[in-house]
PDB file of all heavy atoms in Angstrom:
ATOM      1  N   GLY A 303       8.217   6.365   0.127  1.00  0.00           N
ATOM      2  CA  GLY A 303       9.683   6.330   0.106  1.00  0.00           C
ATOM      3  C   GLY A 303      10.261   7.599  -0.497  1.00  0.00           C
ATOM      4  O   GLY A 303       9.535   8.444  -1.054  1.00  0.00           O
ATOM      5  N   GLY A 304      11.574   7.709  -0.394  1.00  0.00           N
ATOM      6  CA  GLY A 304      12.284   8.904  -0.835  1.00  0.00           C
ATOM      7  C   GLY A 304      12.034   9.262  -2.293  1.00  0.00           C
ATOM      8  O   GLY A 304      11.899  10.449  -2.635  1.00  0.00           O
ATOM      9  N   SER A 305      11.927   8.260  -3.176  1.00  0.00           N
ATOM     10  CA  SER A 305      11.736   8.573  -4.596  1.00  0.00           C
ATOM     11  C   SER A 305      10.316   9.110  -4.835  1.00  0.00           C
ATOM     12  O   SER A 305      10.088   9.859  -5.780  1.00  0.00           O
ATOM     13  CB  SER A 305      12.023   7.346  -5.465  1.00  0.00           C
ATOM     14  OG  SER A 305      11.306   6.241  -4.977  1.00  0.00           O
ATOM     15  N   SER A 335       9.988   9.140   4.107  1.00  0.00           N
ATOM     16  CA  SER A 335      11.453   9.057   4.092  1.00  0.00           C
ATOM     17  C   SER A 335      12.004  10.392   3.606  1.00  0.00           C
ATOM     18  O   SER A 335      11.251  11.231   3.125  1.00  0.00           O
ATOM     19  CB  SER A 335      11.937   8.030   3.067  1.00  0.00           C
ATOM     20  OG  SER A 335      11.555   6.762   3.383  1.00  0.00           O
ATOM     21  N   ALA A 336      13.318  10.514   3.672  1.00  0.00           N
ATOM     22  CA  ALA A 336      13.975  11.715   3.160  1.00  0.00           C
ATOM     23  C   ALA A 336      13.838  11.763   1.638  1.00  0.00           C
ATOM     24  O   ALA A 336      13.817  10.735   0.972  1.00  0.00           O
ATOM     25  CB  ALA A 336      15.439  11.696   3.563  1.00  0.00           C
ATOM     26  N   GLN A 337      13.775  12.974   1.093  1.00  0.00           N
ATOM     27  CA  GLN A 337      13.583  13.143  -0.346  1.00  0.00           C
ATOM     28  C   GLN A 337      14.754  12.577  -1.149  1.00  0.00           C
ATOM     29  O   GLN A 337      15.914  12.834  -0.819  1.00  0.00           O
ATOM     30  CB  GLN A 337      13.526  14.639  -0.685  1.00  0.00           C
ATOM     31  CG  GLN A 337      12.296  15.355  -0.185  1.00  0.00           C
ATOM     32  CD  GLN A 337      12.309  16.785  -0.672  1.00  0.00           C
ATOM     33  OE1 GLN A 337      13.040  17.595  -0.125  1.00  0.00           O
ATOM     34  NE2 GLN A 337      11.528  17.076  -1.693  1.00  0.00           N
ATOM     35  N   GLY A 338      14.431  11.861  -2.224  1.00  0.00           N
ATOM     36  CA  GLY A 338      15.441  11.400  -3.206  1.00  0.00           C
ATOM     37  C   GLY A 338      16.733  10.905  -2.576  1.00  0.00           C
ATOM     38  O   GLY A 338      16.729   9.997  -1.754  1.00  0.00           O
ATOM     39  N   THR A 340      18.689  12.507  -0.544  1.00  0.00           N
ATOM     40  CA  THR A 340      19.081  13.362   0.592  1.00  0.00           C
ATOM     41  C   THR A 340      19.956  12.630   1.607  1.00  0.00           C
ATOM     42  O   THR A 340      20.976  13.173   2.055  1.00  0.00           O
ATOM     43  CB  THR A 340      17.808  13.898   1.304  1.00  0.00           C
ATOM     44  OG1 THR A 340      17.063  14.622   0.340  1.00  0.00           O
ATOM     45  CG2 THR A 340      18.159  14.798   2.461  1.00  0.00           C
ATOM     46  N   THR A 341      19.557  11.415   1.978  1.00  0.00           N
ATOM     47  CA  THR A 341      20.334  10.712   3.016  1.00  0.00           C
ATOM     48  C   THR A 341      21.767  10.459   2.539  1.00  0.00           C
ATOM     49  O   THR A 341      22.730  10.700   3.275  1.00  0.00           O
ATOM     50  CB  THR A 341      19.624   9.391   3.404  1.00  0.00           C
ATOM     51  OG1 THR A 341      18.264   9.690   3.744  1.00  0.00           O
ATOM     52  CG2 THR A 341      20.288   8.724   4.589  1.00  0.00           C
ATOM     53  N   GLU A 368      14.349  13.449   6.952  1.00  0.00           N
ATOM     54  CA  GLU A 368      12.932  13.121   7.103  1.00  0.00           C
ATOM     55  C   GLU A 368      12.145  14.353   7.564  1.00  0.00           C
ATOM     56  O   GLU A 368      10.980  14.510   7.221  1.00  0.00           O
ATOM     57  CB  GLU A 368      12.754  11.970   8.104  1.00  0.00           C
ATOM     58  CG  GLU A 368      12.873  10.571   7.507  1.00  0.00           C
ATOM     59  CD  GLU A 368      14.234  10.225   6.928  1.00  0.00           C
ATOM     60  OE1 GLU A 368      15.233  10.845   7.327  1.00  0.00           O
ATOM     61  OE2 GLU A 368      14.299   9.323   6.068  1.00  0.00           O
ATOM     62  N   ARG A 444      19.482   2.102   7.355  1.00  0.00           N
ATOM     63  CA  ARG A 444      19.044   2.495   6.012  1.00  0.00           C
ATOM     64  C   ARG A 444      17.750   1.776   5.639  1.00  0.00           C
ATOM     65  O   ARG A 444      17.603   0.586   5.885  1.00  0.00           O
ATOM     66  CB  ARG A 444      20.128   2.200   4.965  1.00  0.00           C
ATOM     67  CG  ARG A 444      21.428   2.950   5.167  1.00  0.00           C
ATOM     68  CD  ARG A 444      21.282   4.468   5.237  1.00  0.00           C
ATOM     69  NE  ARG A 444      20.564   5.063   4.121  1.00  0.00           N
ATOM     70  CZ  ARG A 444      21.140   5.537   3.017  1.00  0.00           C
ATOM     71  NH1 ARG A 444      22.449   5.467   2.882  1.00  0.00           N
ATOM     72  NH2 ARG A 444      20.423   6.099   2.061  1.00  0.00           N
ATOM     73  N   GLY A 445      16.851   2.512   5.067  1.00  0.00           N
ATOM     74  CA  GLY A 445      15.561   1.937   4.666  1.00  0.00           C
ATOM     75  C   GLY A 445      14.586   1.774   5.819  1.00  0.00           C
ATOM     76  O   GLY A 445      13.519   1.180   5.665  1.00  0.00           O
ATOM     77  N   SER A 447      12.432   3.560   7.347  1.00  0.00           N
ATOM     78  CA  SER A 447      11.089   4.163   7.399  1.00  0.00           C
ATOM     79  C   SER A 447       9.986   3.128   7.229  1.00  0.00           C
ATOM     80  O   SER A 447       8.883   3.304   7.766  1.00  0.00           O
ATOM     81  CB  SER A 447      10.929   5.221   6.313  1.00  0.00           C
ATOM     82  OG  SER A 447      11.881   6.227   6.480  1.00  0.00           O
TER      83      SER A 447
HETATM   84 MG1   MG B 846      15.783   7.100   1.888  1.00  0.00          MG
END
Side-chain angles (χ1 to χ4, degrees):
S305 51
S335 295
Q337 291 184 283
T340 302
T341 307
E368 274 64 23
R444 298 304 307 267
S447 300

